[in-house]
Amino acid sequence: MRLKPSSSRTAVRLTACGAVAAIVLAGTGPSAAQPEPALTSSADHRCGSRGSWEHPNADRHNTRRVRGPIDSTNVADLEVAWTVPIKAPTDRWPGSYATNPIVVDGVMYSQDLDSNVYAIDVRTGREVWTVMMGSYTNGPNGVAVSGGRVFGATLTDVFALDARTGRELWRRKITRNANEGIDMAPGVNNNTVYIATVPSLLHGGFGAGAVGVVWAIDARTGATRWTWDTVPRDLWGHPEINSGGGAWYPPSFDERGDLYLAVSNPGPFLGTEEYPWGSSRPGPNLYTNSIVKLDGRTGRLIWYRQELPHDIYDWDLQNSPILTTVGGRRVVLTSGKTGFVYMYDRDSGKRLWKTPVGRHNGHDDDNLLAMAGRFDELPSFPAELYPGVLGGVPAPGAVDRDTVYVAVNDLSATWTSQLPPPIFPSFSAGSGAVVALDLATGRARWTFSLDQSPYGGTTISNDLVFTTTFDGTIHAFNAKNGRLAWRVKLPGSTNSPVVISGDILLSASGWPQSAEERAEIVAYRLPSKRGGKGCS
């Protein structure tokens, strides 16, 4: 079914002091009568920002690490504080919700997979306002908050809302054709919104003709500052077949304002009957499956490192780069469905180490055989491959002072022809692990095996590492030794992450698998006077 772009008229439900008023606001431009707040941002810290989760991955460095009272001494005391129903339909892939909420000044802002935006009092669970967008995307989407504004996207448009009221301030379409879409939460830095398009597979096929483009947009007006194409516009000579690039997760930002972005895969994959093994797109297909560093002011490419030239198995290098330091050296890490974690020198782009995680069964270099035209050395069908199209590291990792933690999904894909296999033969058929890697060496410090697939990435609060598994379980591990510290069941199955703000832990059961399960955002809170030991 062809999806219609969102209307310029947006339904807003505003709740205040228990009174609910249903109003419809026409989309307003930057010339709105009310003065807008200055676009200032909170300072970032290695352990999060003032105890709140103020960016899609906690801070501008994407560390997914926060300070606050929740730690190993009190995690077992967490109890349900409130739940909020998710409004998007649950009977579509991949459910109704898959994002990181944002918590700013006591309000949780979030987005479901119909692009609807929620503002909820994080202490009480009371709805402040909800903007109904009605634009289906397969995510992971989400919002960013800065200077009193909420930034996000529908399948086709980028928008800004007033954080207090939900009133639309500006909106602009950035997709060029029906095969392009937006599936990511934006990043915001220096009064600029950074977001990218991707090939959209919602209409079937490979998204032919879709070019992933990075956009830098003025946060106040919605005007374009610059764009950068992640792949060439001619799509390696076959735009009627090929597609590629773009981003699934937001970039990180360094002290100069430069941004680091992981670029997703090329298409088609594997190929077509006429052009097998990606031969319609000869060569390495830059800048797919690359980490890139761009000048935040101009979009100029500073350096890139391509980890998987001529990808044929949909092994994106998609996760948000993480900025940190090791022994005084400024470094950046990333990971993805390739099933590897990588670390680079932040200034030069030199790779410092590369570590495989999860199950691999001998096909990591098939892309090089395909690029060289050595098709007779590639697998015969049917071929079961690890990682599968949702294997490897499907969601962002987290970092503390000396360790990076990733959630690994051991879910295979069985290829029977050049066309893709069913992407999810069974979403619950996989298993996985949380793996802790030494930042200095890339060697594993510990591994905790999981009997279900983890799709929500990892989150750190003090001496604990959190993840979720598809069966609806939240897990907490001791960061030093990997021992299980706590687990709890959500109201239903989940492919959502854990977010922590102060003494509150947020997650969601966004993809119910039975009538007994519920699609809800859930807040767990420590009982009063149960504070922990703060940021370690």
Side-chain angles (χ1 to χ4, degrees):
M1 181 179 69
R2 182 178 176 85
L3 298 175
K4 296 181 179 180
S6 296
S7 168
S8 62
R9 296 178 62 83
T10 302
V12 180
R13 183 167 66 186
L14 179 66
T15 304
C17 300
V20 179
I23 59 176
V24 177
L25 299 178
T28 56
S31 59
Q34 293 183 351
E36 303 300 339
L39 294 178
T40 57
S41 300
S42 301
D44 293 322
H45 303 278
R46 288 289 302 276
C47 303
S49 182
R50 300 184 307 194
S52 288
W53 194 281
E54 297 187 350
H55 297 269
N57 288 305
D59 51 48
R60 289 186 178 87
H61 287 181
N62 289 329
T63 66
R64 298 189 62 84
R65 183 188 186 205
V66 294
R67 62 182 180 179
I70 298 175
D71 60 30
S72 61
T73 69
N74 57 29
V75 65
D77 296 325
L78 286 168
E79 54 193 23
V80 175
W82 52 262
T83 64
V84 170
I86 297 167
K87 302 179 187 301
T90 61
D91 57 352
R92 301 178 305 202
W93 172 83
S96 64
Y97 187 92
T99 191
N100 289 285
I102 302 292
V103 181
V104 176
D105 296 331
V107 179
M108 185 205 80
Y109 301 92
S110 196
Q111 187 177 41
D112 64 28
L113 292 182
D114 246 9
S115 304
N116 305 318
V117 182
Y118 306 68
I120 297 169
D121 186 306
V122 78
R123 301 303 301 176
T124 66
R126 185 173 61 244
E127 178 184 355
V128 179
W129 53 257
T130 298
V131 177
M132 303 298 290
M133 295 287 184
S135 176
Y136 169 48
T137 170
N138 62 5
N141 58 355
V143 297
V145 179
S146 179
R149 299 184 178 206
V150 180
F151 303 96
T154 66
L155 182 64
T156 58
D157 298 3
V158 185
F159 58 77
L161 309 176
D162 184 290
R164 184 176 59 86
T165 66
R167 181 174 64 93
E168 187 170 295
L169 302 174
W170 56 256
R171 174 190 290 250
R172 64 168 307 162
K173 183 177 180 180
I174 64 171
T175 55
R176 303 175 309 126
N177 58 57
N179 283 337
E180 294 177 356
I182 311 167
D183 288 320
M184 67 179 287
V188 181
N189 194 46
N190 291 337
N191 297 338
T192 305
V193 180
Y194 298 92
I195 198 162
T197 57
V198 288
S200 176
L201 308 184
L202 292 182
H203 307 310
F206 296 103
V211 172
V213 179
V214 180
W215 290 72
I217 298 172
D218 186 286
R220 181 177 295 280
T221 67
T224 302
R225 290 187 165 169
W226 53 258
T227 63
W228 184 74
D229 294 347
T230 62
V231 296
R233 292 288 174 106
D234 71 354
L235 288 165
W236 311 291
H238 283 287
E240 78 284 3
I241 300 174
N242 299 333
S243 63
W248 294 93
Y249 286 102
S252 52
F253 304 96
D254 66 17
E255 296 77 7
R256 290 173 46 87
D258 294 333
L259 63 142
Y260 304 75
L261 187 74
V263 181
S264 56
N265 64 294
F269 51 87
L270 303 173
T272 68
E273 295 300 329
E274 182 180 2
Y275 295 100
W277 303 107
S279 54
S280 63
R281 44 180 176 85
N285 307 142
L286 288 172
Y287 293 95
T288 63
N289 297 86
S290 300
I291 180 172
V292 300
K293 179 179 180 179
L294 304 179
D295 185 307
R297 295 168 300 172
T298 67
R300 177 180 63 88
L301 178 65
I302 297 173
W303 58 255
Y304 75 92
R305 176 81 187 206
Q306 187 179 41
E307 290 295 352
L308 193 69
H310 197 82
D311 176 24
I312 53 174
Y313 293 137
D314 191 24
W315 285 346
D316 300 74
L317 188 71
Q318 84 283 359
N319 287 328
S320 290
I322 305 169
L323 305 186
T324 189
T325 58
V326 178
R329 186 175 198 170
R330 297 169 3 122
V331 299
V332 55
L333 299 103
T334 193
S335 58
K337 294 191 296 179
T338 57
F340 287 87
V341 182
Y342 312 86
M343 190 170 84
Y344 313 88
D345 182 279
R346 206 190 301 176
D347 297 319
S348 68
K350 177 183 178 182
R351 191 211 290 153
L352 302 177
W353 53 256
K354 168 184 174 182
T355 298
V357 290
R359 186 172 176 183
H360 297 246
N361 65 343
H363 297 280
D364 292 338
D365 294 327
D366 284 3
N367 59 304
L368 300 178
L369 298 175
M371 187 166 63
R374 294 158 61 181
F375 300 161
D376 57 341
E377 300 177 51
L378 290 165
S380 301
F381 301 128
E384 183 180 22
L385 271 64
Y386 286 90
V389 293
L390 275 186
V393 186
V399 67
D400 61 20
R401 288 189 175 94
D402 55 14
T403 308
V404 58
Y405 307 87
V406 294
V408 183
N409 186 18
D410 285 325
L411 180 64
S412 67
T414 299
W415 299 83
T416 59
S417 73
Q418 290 294 317
L419 302 178
I423 293 181
F424 308 119
S426 173
F427 220 68
S428 60
S431 59
V434 174
V435 180
L437 301 178
D438 184 281
L439 278 179
T441 65
R443 297 191 185 98
R445 288 187 159 180
W446 55 260
T447 299
F448 188 97
S449 296
L450 303 165
D451 59 8
Q452 284 273 315
S453 293
Y455 295 103
T458 51
T459 297
I460 300 170
S461 177
N462 300 305
D463 59 350
L464 293 175
V465 180
F466 293 84
T467 196
T468 60
T469 47
F470 184 64
D471 62 349
T473 303
I474 301 174
H475 309 258
F477 307 97
N478 185 294
K480 295 302 180 185
N481 56 36
R483 292 175 185 158
L484 183 67
W486 176 73
R487 64 165 51 126
V488 69
K489 276 281 192 178
L490 290 160
S493 300
T494 182
N495 55 350
S496 303
V498 168
V499 161
I500 295 174
S501 179
D503 63 353
I504 292 177
L505 182 151
L506 298 162
S507 194
S509 51
W511 199 356
Q513 298 294 295
S514 70
E516 290 74 33
E517 296 186 356
R518 305 185 304 278
E520 294 179 339
I521 301 170
V522 184
Y524 300 86
R525 184 166 56 219
L526 290 175
S528 59
K529 300 181 182 179
R530 291 276 189 153
K533 58 194 177 186
C535 185
S536 60

